[in-house]
Amino acid sequence: MDNDTIVAIATANGIGSIAIIRLSGEKALSIAKTLSKKDNFSPRYATLTNVYDKNNELIDETIIIYFKNPHSFTGEDVVEIQCHGGYIVAQSILQSCLDAGARVANAGEFSKRAFFNGRIDLSEAEAISQLIEAKSEDAAKILAKQVKGSLKEFIESVRDEIIHILAYSEVSIDYAEEDLPEDLVEQIKAKLEALKKQLERTLQASKSRAGLMQGFRVAIVGKPNVGKSSLLNGLLNYNRAIVSDIAGTTRDTIEEQVKIGTHLIRIVDTAGIRDASDEIEKIGIQRSLEAIEQSDIVVSVFDNSRELDEEDKQIISLLEETQKQQIRIKNKIDLETKLNVAFDFDIELNSKDDVTPLIKKLEAIMDRSNSSEEIMLISQRQISAVEETMENIDEAFYPLEDQELEIFSFHLNEAVKAMASITRPFENDEMLDKMFGSFCLGK
Ligand SMILES: Nc1nc2c(c(=O)[nH]1)N(C=O)[C@@H](CNc1ccc(C(=O)N[C@@H](CCC(=O)O)C(=O)O)cc1)CN2
Ligand SMILES: Nc1nc2c(ncn2[C@@H]2O[C@H](COP(=O)(O)OP(=O)(O)OP(=O)(O)O)[C@@H](O)[C@H]2O)c(=O)[nH]1
Ligand SMILES: [K+]
Ligand SMILES: [Mg+2]
């Protein structure tokens, strides 16, 4: 790591009442002094002061807070300059910081420094990064706990348990001529089994809650003219998509974000699925199939005022193949019933009038996916690490049986390494660059 003093605008880009410029590194305090022409700043006091550019022109009246190392977010000297918001002032102050010797921070560089200075571990860093983009209140609650170390504690307890088991075997390798006693082998096996079960539970809970963390995707499908776009408009509460009595009105997929209950979800309205001869419509149908693939919840719509036909049947067989959560809707119930199907509908609607039943159902499905399991892995990186840990535990069983303790130790060591990579990896700069590189600027 270098000794540069880094600077970034930490607040969102756009019009807002205030903005924060954050500096970290050896020169942070001297830069604050230069910009403000003040002799000193008391650590952790908010100081109201003017800030000037290199030509001594007033930029803004600001509040500056100095955090003396190591008592700061990064562990280095940190200065925060709180100025008026908008596009110009914060940029001018940033430029003045550069003129005074700072350089622009890379994405995630503040968090990276906090990590290298031992202020946070990787699981906490990932939680900070995801908290900013949380897609539901439940997700935010889990992440807030992880920012304070809840995942770290779990990972470290698992790691310690493996190390404990490893110690038995290492002692035998180093000091004993004999094999491990049979009852000890059984005890170790039981412990490893229990660990595996616990990790498996964590993995399953994490995967089933992926929608909660990443935001649910909901696809609306059905044959042409059943009222899919009317449904989308109802969910959004404004006329986003064109609705008409012409079959094939929606040609492309339409994607919109909306808040339902405590969840921020993406809804995808698709072109009606049917056997199309029209080339453009064929592409639209392909997109509908993709939308189903990419969704967490599939809402299928059928027209109550028409008899079931071949196109409906095609859709039904398509839905039978998918493993996704589903909601089946009988639409246009204000019209005379002609639809005759074998399966039960989840909801009956008049999508032009009121889609509240669908909103309630979606909310129930999304809330349900928030299992009571406390521990949750929040990135593919963490999931892969746990999977690697489990594989190595698996591979440790046979050599343990056969009293090949060196091979047994090797696999448990690998398991410890994989586990540690979630919080504090032994090596691997490349992985760190990749991880912090995906952070927001200014984080
Ligand atoms: N203005 C501001 N708000 C912010 C942050 C920030 O960096 N600046 N944060 C950034 O993500 C979050 C808060 N997290 C923080 C964590 C530690 C320290 C810190 O300075 N810790 C020192 C001093 C502790 C103390 O004074 O009690 C330490 O732990 O030694 C600051 C912010 C959210 N709000
Ligand atoms: N009576 C009645 N008409 C409806 C209802 N929902 C939709 N419609 C009408 O059905 C027609 C088709 O609605 P759309 O929302 O465009 O249907 P769509 O499934 O998006 O159609 P495509 O995009 O062409 O596949 C329009 O004339 C709507 O006004 C309903 O609940 N009752
Ligand atoms: K239509
Ligand atoms: Mg449509």
Side-chain angles (χ1 to χ4, degrees):
M1 225 175 51
D2 55 52
N3 289 325
D4 295 350
T5 296
I6 54 174
V7 64
I9 300 175
T11 41
N13 192 6
I15 303 284
S17 54
I18 60 173
I20 301 179
I21 294 99
R22 183 153 68 159
L23 287 150
S24 180
E26 285 169 2
K27 289 191 221 153
L29 181 59
S30 73
I31 291 172
K33 288 180 191 168
T34 305
L35 266 61
S36 63
K37 303 185 187 174
K38 276 182 69 73
D39 294 337
N40 224 338
F41 288 94
S42 304
R44 297 168 56 196
Y45 273 81
T47 307
L48 179 65
T49 174
N50 289 338
V51 161
Y52 303 87
D53 70 12
K54 64 173 186 237
N55 303 320
N56 274 334
E57 294 256 32
L58 175 68
I59 303 177
D60 194 13
E61 180 175 61
T62 71
I63 289 178
I64 292 184
I65 304 174
Y66 165 50
F67 298 83
K68 186 170 165 51
N69 79 79
H71 300 297
S72 71
F73 175 68
T74 59
E76 304 174 330
D77 268 7
V78 166
V79 166
E80 293 185 357
I81 306 174
Q82 306 182 359
C83 62
H84 289 100
Y87 295 102
I88 306 302
V89 177
Q91 281 295 341
S92 302
I93 295 177
L94 178 79
Q95 184 57 52
S96 299
C97 292
L98 299 179
D99 294 339
R103 74 158 164 83
V104 173
N106 299 319
E109 201 170 2
F110 288 92
S111 300
K112 191 172 175 182
R113 288 187 175 196
F115 168 72
F116 276 114
N117 291 324
R119 313 297 297 177
I120 55 174
D121 77 342
L122 291 190
S123 74
E124 290 160 344
E126 279 178 306
I128 291 172
S129 157
Q130 289 198 24
L131 183 58
I132 296 166
E133 294 176 33
K135 300 294 193 299
S136 73
E137 286 172 24
D138 292 325
K141 276 184 202 158
I142 293 170
L143 292 167
K145 283 188 198 146
Q146 292 196 1
V147 170
K148 306 288 287 178
S150 69
L151 182 60
K152 174 174 84 178
E153 278 168 32
F154 169 73
I155 299 298
E156 289 186 344
S157 77
V158 172
R159 194 198 56 195
D160 288 351
E161 259 180 86
I162 305 175
I163 289 174
H164 190 73
I165 297 169
L166 197 52
Y168 284 121
S169 135
E170 301 274 317
V171 166
S172 298
I173 293 169
D174 289 348
Y175 299 104
E177 297 291 303
E178 299 148 47
D179 285 351
L180 285 179
E182 201 48 44
D183 59 332
L184 187 55
V185 168
E186 288 310 312
Q187 267 182 41
I188 291 178
K189 273 204 227 160
K191 277 193 177 157
L192 288 177
E193 286 290 358
L195 260 183
K196 244 184 76 181
K197 272 214 186 90
Q198 188 176 23
L199 291 177
E200 184 60 45
R201 255 204 325 274
T202 305
L203 265 185
Q204 286 318 320
S206 307
K207 286 179 179 170
S208 73
R209 283 192 294 186
L212 183 76
M213 305 305 281
Q214 285 146 28
F216 288 89
R217 290 178 67 94
V218 178
I220 307 175
V221 301
K223 72 174 181 181
N225 252 356
V226 293
K228 299 179 294 298
S229 298
S230 307
L231 211 63
L232 172 76
N233 290 347
L235 289 171
L236 296 177
N237 223 351
Y238 80 100
N239 291 332
R240 165 67 180 83
I242 299 171
V243 166
S244 87
D245 56 6
I246 300 166
T249 302
T250 307
R251 290 271 175 141
D252 210 342
T253 41
I254 300 174
E255 193 172 317
E256 282 295 325
Q257 191 155 279
V258 66
K259 193 157 184 227
I260 289 191
T262 61
H263 304 271
L264 197 59
I265 69 170
R266 301 208 70 88
I267 308 178
V268 178
D269 177 23
T270 62
I273 301 177
R274 72 166 166 197
D275 252 344
S277 46
D278 180 335
E279 276 305 313
I280 292 179
E281 218 167 297
K282 266 188 194 158
I283 296 170
I285 291 165
Q286 188 53 38
R287 297 236 171 102
S288 316
L289 295 175
E290 281 164 17
I292 294 180
E293 270 312 301
Q294 288 163 10
S295 67
D296 303 294
I297 304 172
V298 182
V299 175
S300 57
V301 189
F302 298 86
D303 185 342
N304 174 59
S305 70
R306 288 171 184 269
E307 285 182 30
L308 196 76
D309 62 16
E310 274 311 310
E311 285 167 15
D312 288 310
K313 285 180 191 159
Q314 264 190 352
I315 289 160
I316 292 169
S317 67
L318 207 72
L319 294 173
E320 276 166 358
E321 283 164 28
T322 153
Q323 304 288 314
K324 312 273 166 152
Q325 292 263 19
Q326 289 193 36
I327 304 176
R328 286 175 170 160
I329 294 183
K330 184 194 272 187
N331 193 28
K332 309 196 188 182
I333 51 163
D334 51 313
L335 302 178
E336 191 194 332
T337 302
K338 297 220 175 112
L339 185 63
N340 49 327
V341 232
F343 61 73
D344 289 330
F345 287 94
D346 298 298
I347 297 173
E348 302 190 348
L349 271 188
N350 170 352
S351 67
K352 287 207 295 190
D353 178 42
D354 182 19
V355 300
T356 313
L358 175 57
I359 292 176
K360 291 267 173 284
K361 182 88 192 174
L362 281 170
E363 210 177 332
I365 291 178
M366 294 187 291
D367 284 346
R368 212 191 308 141
S369 73
N370 190 12
S371 77
S372 58
E373 178 75 35
E374 272 286 300
I375 303 302
M376 158 117 203
L377 306 167
I378 58 167
S379 67
Q380 188 52 49
R381 190 187 81 82
Q382 296 175 353
I383 288 177
S384 303
V386 167
E387 284 171 346
E388 196 182 327
T389 306
M390 290 172 66
E391 278 161 26
N392 275 294
I393 291 178
D394 260 341
E395 290 187 46
F397 279 102
Y398 296 106
L400 177 62
E401 262 325 312
D402 300 344
Q403 297 278 356
E404 297 196 41
L405 295 183
E406 282 179 22
I407 301 178
F408 173 75
S409 286
F410 168 80
H411 286 300
L412 285 199
N413 260 310
E414 290 296 301
V416 169
K417 261 196 243 167
M419 220 51 206
S421 75
I422 295 178
T423 54
R424 210 158 261 291
F426 295 135
E427 64 244 34
N428 204 339
D429 285 352
E430 211 178 303
M431 187 273 284
L432 293 177
D433 282 345
K434 205 167 133 210
M435 206 199 86
F436 286 107
S438 69
F439 278 37
C440 279
L441 280 170
K443 255 290 135 199

